Amino acid sequence: MATTVDKQRLFISVPSPQALLARRPVSYIAGQLKAKLAKLKRELLTPSSGSGGGAGVGFDVARTGVASVGFIGFPSVGKSTLMSRLTGQHSEAAAYEFTTLTTVPGQVVYNGAKIQILDLPGIIQGAKDGKGRGRQVIAVAKTCHLIFIVLDVNKPLTDKRVIENELEGFGIRINKSPPNIVLKKKDKGGINITATVPLTHIDHDEIKAVLAEYRMANADVAIRCDATVDDLIDVIEAKSRSYIPVIYALNKIDAISIEELDLLYRIPNACPISSEHGWNVDELLEQMWEKLNLVRVYTKPKGKMPDYTAPVVLRSTACTVEDFCNSIHKTIVEQFKLAIVYGKSVKHQPQRVGLSHELADEDISAVLKASYGIHKGAISVKAAYTANEDDHSLGDWEVHNDPVLVDTSNAVDAAEARSLGLETNSTMAPLPLLQPAAARSARTRALTTDQTSLKYALQAAA
Ligand SMILES: Nc1nc2c(ncn2[C@@H]2O[C@H](COP(=O)(O)OP(=O)(O)OP(=O)(O)O)[C@@H](O)[C@H]2O)c(=O)[nH]1
Ligand SMILES: [Mg+2]
């Protein structure tokens, strides 16, 4: 009898093989729970057929300029006052909360770049969970290239953390770059984890738990940073994450002492300002420029100094010669021959480069198109254009930046050519901007910048 009881006790105290298998290390369970939570959060924030987290009516606005900057902050911290100060665009500002109810767009031109500024309604704690119109507001901020978190220096600094949490909870990663983790799904072979640095925040069980939660049974995971579970989840959830730089605009410094101001300067990525008085707004713009990381490319007409007044501004993520050409006119790439570049992006000054070359800030670039050679007949046109005469901006650009080269020495009467503003020597001098009337003249039809005339010139020369 006693033996039976003992057997029963033994049976109860020893778990079954299935239970043993099911038992997982604590880190596995922690990873599983974090992954489950991240999935649920994403489902909550993903708009389901027209409702939910997307930007609603009056919130999303047409994007203009090369980059956009959104203002996020509690109500009445001075966002609209700052907007009016930076752009000259009036945005209603008042001493009561929730003065701004929709997105108010404006524009600032800085270093030749047109930057869109979006004044947004104030948000409150719980915004990401749908309080107020918080989700719509943060959804607009999530599509911006830079966010100004505007804080009132008279309010507790804990407000900064609250706003950061709201943005983080919405998938915005502040002043961070994507974690250096490469995840490759496979068809078979199980999970293969390699790490090039010691992992102090995560172990293999946790990684496997997260991958299992996302139904990844076969994958290569290459970790090249001391990653956390959240980093791994961010890589898996990459589609719903936005890595956006942030500047903390610490507003209303007119109401604090110099000693307090000194303390504010210690906060990283912060800029103390007074939008009402316009104090230190210049520094804010400088910081904005640095964070936006834009690339200015100056165009250079042949035989002339580069045009420093109107750079072509590109984003650093799309700054190849092809992007440069496309930002001027999409037809340029079709006729592209080579670009001559001076500046930081090239080893030799100047250097001939192709479409895939990446340009650097303050580079100087001249684009050459495929040449048309007409050696018979009256006029020799070495380079020609297909610009539409009606498209004035393109015509201007082309003539100023890649001028038609004309050898008029052997055919066109020197005096007549001079009266048309053409060079008459044989050195293939750049052709100045042609007047439409002159362009229509029969004698000079071949010299116009439109395609019809070019065809005529080719026929006449044949
Ligand atoms: N002392 C001081 N007051 C300021 C400053 N900037 C704004 N204010 C005042 O703060 C109040 C709120 O300004 P708004 O610009 O309307 O604030 P907001 O953040 O746009 O507010 P909501 O649209 O409600 O979210 C107004 O009474 C402004 O005059 C500043 O630099 N110093
Ligand atoms: Mg406002």
Side-chain angles (χ1 to χ4, degrees), residues 58-99:
F59 280 86
D60 213 5
V61 293
R63 295 308 166 92
T64 58
V66 67
S68 51
V69 180
F71 291 179
I72 287 284
F74 284 126
S76 270
V77 291
K79 298 181 293 297
S80 302
T81 314
L82 179 60
M83 162 81 163
S84 306
R85 173 69 61 186
L86 289 181
T87 64
Q89 160 78 43
H90 176 73
S91 182
E92 192 67 31
Y96 53 86
E97 299 197 336
F98 295 109
T99 312

Side-chain angles (χ1 to χ4, degrees), residues 256-310:
I256 59 167
S257 66
I258 292 283
E259 290 76 19
E260 285 169 313
L261 183 62
D262 278 345
L263 289 175
L264 294 183
Y265 264 106
R266 294 188 197 168
I267 300 171
N269 301 308
C271 185
I273 53 162
S274 168
S275 27
E276 196 157 84
H277 298 273
W279 295 351
N280 217 23
V281 170
D282 291 357
E283 190 184 320
L284 183 67
L285 285 171
E286 259 176 51
Q287 287 194 20
M288 172 192 81
W289 178 257
E290 272 173 36
K291 289 266 184 199
L292 282 176
N293 201 12
L294 297 175
V295 175
R296 285 162 291 174
V297 182
Y298 303 110
T299 53
K300 188 192 172 306
K302 266 209 193 91
K304 288 191 193 161
M305 289 299 286
D307 181 1
Y308 292 112
T309 55

